[in-house]
Structure formats: structure tokens, C-alpha cells
Amino acid sequence: MKNLTVAKFGGTSVADFEAMSRCADLVQSDSNIRVVVVSAQSGVTNKLVRLTQLDVTQEERDQILADIRATEYKIIEQLGRPEWVTLALDNLLNELKATANSENLVGSMRLKDQIQSYGEQMSSLLFAEIMRQRGVHAVNFDIRQVLKTDSNYGKAEPDIEQTRLQAEKLISPELEGTVFITQGFIGSDENGYTTTLGRGGSDYSAALIAESLSAETLQIWTDVTGIYTTDPRLTQAARPIPEISFDEAAEMATFGAKILHPATLIPAIRKGIGVFVGSSRAPKDGGTWILNQVDNKPAYRAIALRKEQILVTVKSPNMLLASGFLAKVFAILAKNKISVDLITTSEISIALTLDNPSNATLGGLSKSVIAELEEFCEVTVEEDLSLVAVIGNHLQASSGVGGKLLSALENFSLRMICQGASPHNFCFLTKTAEAPKIVEHLHEQLFDSI
Ligand code: ADP
Ligand code: ASP
Ligand code: MG
């Protein structure tokens, strides 16, 4: 379909009947929106994740199941409890309950993904009914038929070609007369088992679906009016950015701006799909366009903050003039699927940062990986660190950038600085306790006078 728009609504946008109704208004106001991708109601995925954890008691499990049921039932009551939708909702709640109480859950990544999928399944069921009650020909479409992934449960990788083929077969022919309401975050593997793309993955799903249907535009509707100069929760001085390039926005997402899942822009860049980010609460207030080319390319565009970082220093007394040390270290990290973010080196050591969400696994650096490294070097691990990234243009080559940023930070202690690999970022690592203050101060120095 020409001019197709895929619209994604995040958790707060579909949190309850009133929020969903605002999204429905938005969909009805734009006939190009033929595919709607919804997240679970805000807070539901966190609860589902809790159900999968080892230390959850039966009492807490029952309470969580009751809370989720209450959230969904509140919406269906406001829809007048239509018979077959209520039945479908009950089926999902019963399946969820049975899986949550299954003895096999603890050791099964597959069942954990299945549990996490119910939030999106319920919210698309209800959203489709809202649309139908407004007279729109809307279907609740099971995206697991289209979004094909590998079996890496918890963070599955999409199969782009299979996804395109399935979308062409199952969605494209019906687009003219139908609004597809479907789930973000979930897919299925070659055995038909449910997979998830990682937390916050609905943005990525929507981008993959937009790519597979050659959509013209992807809209990401959330709780803020676009991408801001920094997370508006960190400083009141943050302000929306009307236009930003793919490269800058991708760096922001990579370096922790939660507004977009880090992989969201990859499909959009591949296909040149324009991405709009706006608030479903205030759609008329505008938002941010993320485009291939933008006219305005300021040196300083935004500041991103990513918490829960660890710094690993590997030191070899033999590195002096030795070749192959870096390769050896990185081969071990690659073999263990550990992804490194920042790197600095000296003559005898390498310092690198790893993302460590939830602080449970030391960024994948298990005891056995440390032991492998310790066969030929000393390893130290530092925690409680955060990564602050200044995002902009020509940062690697413009005169005065280093001076400006470092003098702005003279009263803070920095643990590591990285600059030079990309024109779009200047990053440093700092104690997590100091990070919000640093972002606020830097924001004042870089943006308040503009
Ligand atoms: P959704 O549930 O709609 O996907 P998220 O909570 O994942 O919403 O993302 C929106 C949140 O991202 C905002 O409420 C805001 O606090 C946060 N955020 C982080 N960095 C930025 C930024 N640079 N601009 C706007 N929002 C940001
Ligand atoms: N519901 C999922 C989560 O909370 C996916 C998303 O909202 O993007 O992580
Ligand atoms: Mg999100």
C-alpha cells in the first residue's frame, strides 16, 4: 500500500481505557495508519517478568496474577464486556496462570518468553475491540505468524527475509480494507515457540514490521512530545528536538536514551523510512522527525545516560611489545557473546565497558570467563558506573569540543573518556551516584544559552 504508516503505542499510551481511546482517536484521524503495534499496558511486563523469577512466592504470584487480571478487566468492563472478547481474554489469563504455576518454568527460557508475551497479546485484543466498537474494520493480528526470529529466548534476533515474506503473504493483501492491530515485542521461532526481542522491544518490532511492508512512515507514540535534548526526567531544562538525523538518534538510543529501543533505527535506516516520535497524550504538540538527512547539524544535540555499566580492566605484564593480546582478549569475549561498548588501551592494559542491566550477571562476565582471561592477565571489575554520552556532529574533529566538555566537567571525577571513533559521540564513564548531576550541569553548559 502506498503511503503506509505503521503506528506504535507504548505502555503508558495503552495503560487504560482512556489512554487507549486517545490512541484510537489518533488512528482514526489518519487513514494511512493501517498497522498498529501495541505494547503491554504499562507495568504489566514488569509483573510478568517477576512471575518468572526464582524467588517469587506462591502468595506473590497469586497477587500478581490478580493484579494483571484487574488491569485487563477494568478495560473490558468499559468496553461493555463483549462476549467473545471476554472469552478470549479469559483464555489468555488462564493460559498465563497455568504457565506461571508450571513446575518447568524456572529452568525454561522458552516458557519465560511465553509468559512475557501475554501483556502484548491482551493489549492488542482489547485495542482491536476498541477500534471495532468505533466502526473500524480492525483485526487483532497475531504477529508471531509474521515476525520470525531465532530461538535466542529473551533477546531473539529477527529473520528479516522470513518476516518480509510472511508480511507480504498475510498482511499486504488485506491492507486496503483493514486496520491491523498487532503486538510489539514478540515473535516466534522456527518451531513456532514464542520469543521476545528484549525489554523495550516494541519499538524494534514496529520498525521491523514497517520495513517488511515497505511503509513510508513509522510513528512511535509515547509519553513525551518527541526526543528531547536529554531525558526530561533528569532536568526540567530538557526540550524537544524537532528534527534529528538517523545517525544521531541511533547513537542516542545505543547510549541509553530509553525513548527508543537501541535497534529501532536499523530497519528504518535500511529502508529509509521516516520515523516520527510524539506523545499520544498531546499529538497536536508535535514531536521529533528522525530523517536520513537534516539541514541543521549542530555540534551538540543531546545528552544520553546509560546506567548499570561495569568497567573491566585486563592487564598483562607481557603486553609490552607483544602482539595478539587484544585479539586474544576479544576472542574470549566474542566466544562468550559478551558485547563491549567503550574501549581504551595503554601499553600493558585494556579497559572496556560492558552493559550490565539488572546487575545480575556482570554483563555476562561469568566466573569461567574471568578464569579464562586470568590465564594470561590480571582482571579487575568495577561496578556502580554510568555512561554519559554527548551526541552531536563532527565531535571527533571540531576544535574546542574536548576543551569545552572537559572544562564543563572540571568539578566531577571521570573514570574513562572515549572520543574519536564516531563523529556523533563523546562519551565518558562516571560514578552512577554523580551521573544525574553531571547530565544536568552539562545540559546547562551546552544548551541553556542557545
Ligand atoms: P514507551 O512505553 O512509550 O515505549 P518508554 O518509557 O520506553 O515509553 O520511553 C519514554 C521515556 O523515555 C520518557 O518518558 C523519558 O523519560 C525517557 N527518555 C530517555 N531519554 C529521553 C530523551 N532524550 N527524550 C525523551 N525521552 C527520553
Ligand atoms: N512490554 C515490553 C516491555 O515492557 C516491550 C515494550 O514495551 O516495548 O519491555
Ligand atoms: Mg519503550
Side-chain angles (χ1 to χ4, degrees), residues 8-11 39-41 43-46 116 119-120 184-185 198-203 261:
K8 177 255 168 177
F9 295 100
S39 290
Q41 271 91 34
V44 167
T45 310
N46 285 349
Q116 287 188 47
E120 270 70 11
F185 183 49
R199 293 304 307 272
S202 294
D203 302 328
H261 179 278

Side-chain angles (χ1 to χ4, degrees), residues 140-153:
N140 173 30
F141 182 79
D142 187 342
I143 203 63
R144 290 171 296 183
Q145 298 175 70
V146 164
L147 215 158
K148 292 293 165 185
T149 72
D150 64 12
S151 302
N152 186 18
Y153 301 111

Side-chain angles (χ1 to χ4, degrees), residues 175-217:
L175 275 178
E176 292 291 342
T178 308
V179 179
F180 283 76
I181 313 296
T182 195
Q183 312 81 34
F185 183 49
I186 69 173
S188 73
D189 66 10
E190 60 178 357
N191 298 313
Y193 292 130
T194 301
T195 55
T196 64
L197 304 183
R199 293 304 307 272
S202 294
D203 302 328
Y204 188 28
S205 296
L208 289 163
I209 296 163
E211 176 184 37
S212 68
L213 294 168
S214 300
E216 184 174 82
T217 306

Side-chain angles (χ1 to χ4, degrees), residues 8 10-11 222-224 226-228 230-233 252 257-259:
K8 177 255 168 177
T222 181
D223 58 355
V224 283
I227 299 182
Y228 282 54
T230 194
D231 187 341
R233 286 183 218 185
M252 284 184 78
K258 193 190 166 215
I259 182 98

Side-chain angles (χ1 to χ4, degrees), residues 4 42 46 51 71-72 103 105 122 130 172 178 193 201 242 251 266 271 286 312 321 374 378 382 384 399 420 441 448:
L4 171 68
S42 165
N46 285 349
L51 286 176
T71 303
E72 308 301 328
E103 281 177 7
L105 176 60
M122 293 189 287
I130 291 188
S172 295
T178 308
Y193 292 130
E251 297 261 0
I266 298 170
K271 275 284 175 87
V312 184
L321 301 181
E374 280 179 340
E378 283 168 29
E382 292 167 56
D384 298 324
S399 59
H441 181 71
D448 282 11

Side-chain angles (χ1 to χ4, degrees), residues 239-255:
R239 51 175 188 265
I241 302 167
E243 260 188 22
I244 186 169
S245 69
F246 278 142
D247 289 342
E248 293 168 278
E251 297 261 0
M252 284 184 78
T254 304
F255 286 112

Side-chain angles (χ1 to χ4, degrees), residues 9-26 41 75 78 127 130 134 280-281:
F9 295 100
T12 43
S13 299
V14 294
D16 51 30
F17 179 77
E18 288 70 28
M20 279 186 156
S21 300
R22 281 193 293 271
C23 301
D25 290 343
L26 224 152
Q41 271 91 34
I75 300 173
Q78 281 168 286
F127 195 89
I130 291 188
R134 291 162 170 246
S280 65
R281 254 177 199 283

